[in-house]
């Protein structure tokens, strides 16, 4: 009887240890989008710019990475996640890129109290696709609106970037580079509008 109880307790202890070991191997990793634009040596501007709102497709509007595995199939990776909501991360990456491209520190992410922008940038990301170890695609429709006069310039940028590695950090880096291409087009629109 005692040997039976000891065996039962030992079995429970082994199951608990195995479960703990499994939990440790499945730890989540968190990723960010970074500003990667480099200055093109164009003259700096003195305009204050606010970025936002940014909208993203419902299919990727989640903490987890959504990876394309076939033409009509995706996988949601539970253990590789964005550190912040994707729309917020995109806005911050684009704001950082615009600050470099325009040569001004006066670029902020909406909403921000007591910040009076000359231009507001809105971005509708229509495609945000990730193919692990291959490519990422960002397709965005954006608008630059002059706050006082209401003049608006809009455009569409399709940016495809090769993924330089197999991991999720390489996917995040490729998306950052793709967003820098979107930012280059937005910066050009701001400069063109400012020259009118």
């Amino acid at each position: 009887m005692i040997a039976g109880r000891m065996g039962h307790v030992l079995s429970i202890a082994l199951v608990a240890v195995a479960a703990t070991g499994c939990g440790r191997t499945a730890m989540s990793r968190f990723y960010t989008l970074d500003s990667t634009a480099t200055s093109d040596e164009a003259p700096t501007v003195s305009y204050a710019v606010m970025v936002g709102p940014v909208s993203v497709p419902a299919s990727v509007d989640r903490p987890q990475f959504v990876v394309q595995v076939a033409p009509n199939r995706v996988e949601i990776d539970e253990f590789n996640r964005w550190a912040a909501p994707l729309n917020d991360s995109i806005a911050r990456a684009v704001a950082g890129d615009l600050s470099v491209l325009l040569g001004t520190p006066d670029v902020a992410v909406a909403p921000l109290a007591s910040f009076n922008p000359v231009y507001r940038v809105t971005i509708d990301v229509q495609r945000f696709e990730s193919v692990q170890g291959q490519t990422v695609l960002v397709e965005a429709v954006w608008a630059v609106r002059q706050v006082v006069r209401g003049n608006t310039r809009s455009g569409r940028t399709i940016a495809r970037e090769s993924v330089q590695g197999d991991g999720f950090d390489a996917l995040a880096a490729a998306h950052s580079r793709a967003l820098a291409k979107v930012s280059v087009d937005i910066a050009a629109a701001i400069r063109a509008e400012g020259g009118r």
Side-chain angles (χ1 to χ4, degrees), residues 52-75:
V54 173
S55 61
V56 297
S59 59
V60 296
D61 191 12
R62 60 184 69 237
Q64 303 92 339
F65 269 72
V66 177
V67 180
Q68 196 84 29
V69 293
N72 297 307
R73 188 165 67 89
V74 297
E75 287 182 357

Side-chain angles (χ1 to χ4, degrees), residues 114-147:
S114 70
F115 184 81
N116 297 312
V118 175
Y119 293 101
R120 282 192 81 103
V121 176
T122 56
I123 304 170
D124 177 21
V125 177
Q126 299 189 329
R127 294 169 70 189
F128 191 88
E129 297 176 359
S130 307
V131 181
Q132 203 166 1
Q134 295 182 30
T135 60
V136 301
L137 175 70
V138 174
E139 180 177 351
V141 174
W142 47 264
V144 173
R145 185 175 65 83
Q146 194 173 45
V147 174

Side-chain angles (χ1 to χ4, degrees), residues 51-195:
V51 178
V54 173
S55 61
V56 297
S59 59
V60 296
D61 191 12
R62 60 184 69 237
Q64 303 92 339
F65 269 72
V66 177
V67 180
Q68 196 84 29
V69 293
N72 297 307
R73 188 165 67 89
V74 297
E75 287 182 357
I76 298 171
D77 193 293
E78 289 296 330
F79 301 108
N80 290 285
R81 297 170 170 252
W82 296 108
L86 196 52
N87 59 341
D88 182 60
S89 294
I90 290 171
R92 291 186 187 289
V94 169
D97 288 335
L98 290 177
S99 182
V100 170
L101 293 165
L102 297 173
T104 178
D106 293 330
V107 182
V109 175
L112 183 64
S114 70
F115 184 81
N116 297 312
V118 175
Y119 293 101
R120 282 192 81 103
V121 176
T122 56
I123 304 170
D124 177 21
V125 177
Q126 299 189 329
R127 294 169 70 189
F128 191 88
E129 297 176 359
S130 307
V131 181
Q132 203 166 1
Q134 295 182 30
T135 60
V136 301
L137 175 70
V138 174
E139 180 177 351
V141 174
W142 47 264
V144 173
R145 185 175 65 83
Q146 194 173 45
V147 174
V148 174
R149 293 190 304 185
N151 296 347
T152 301
R153 285 183 184 258
S154 59
R156 175 186 299 270
T157 303
I158 300 172
R160 188 180 304 272
E161 277 289 316
S162 295
V163 177
Q164 299 169 354
D166 292 327
F168 286 87
D169 52 346
L171 278 177
H175 275 298
S176 295
R177 293 191 304 274
L179 289 170
K181 290 180 177 179
V182 174
S183 302
V184 165
D185 290 350
I186 293 170
I190 291 171
R191 287 185 186 280
E193 188 61 34

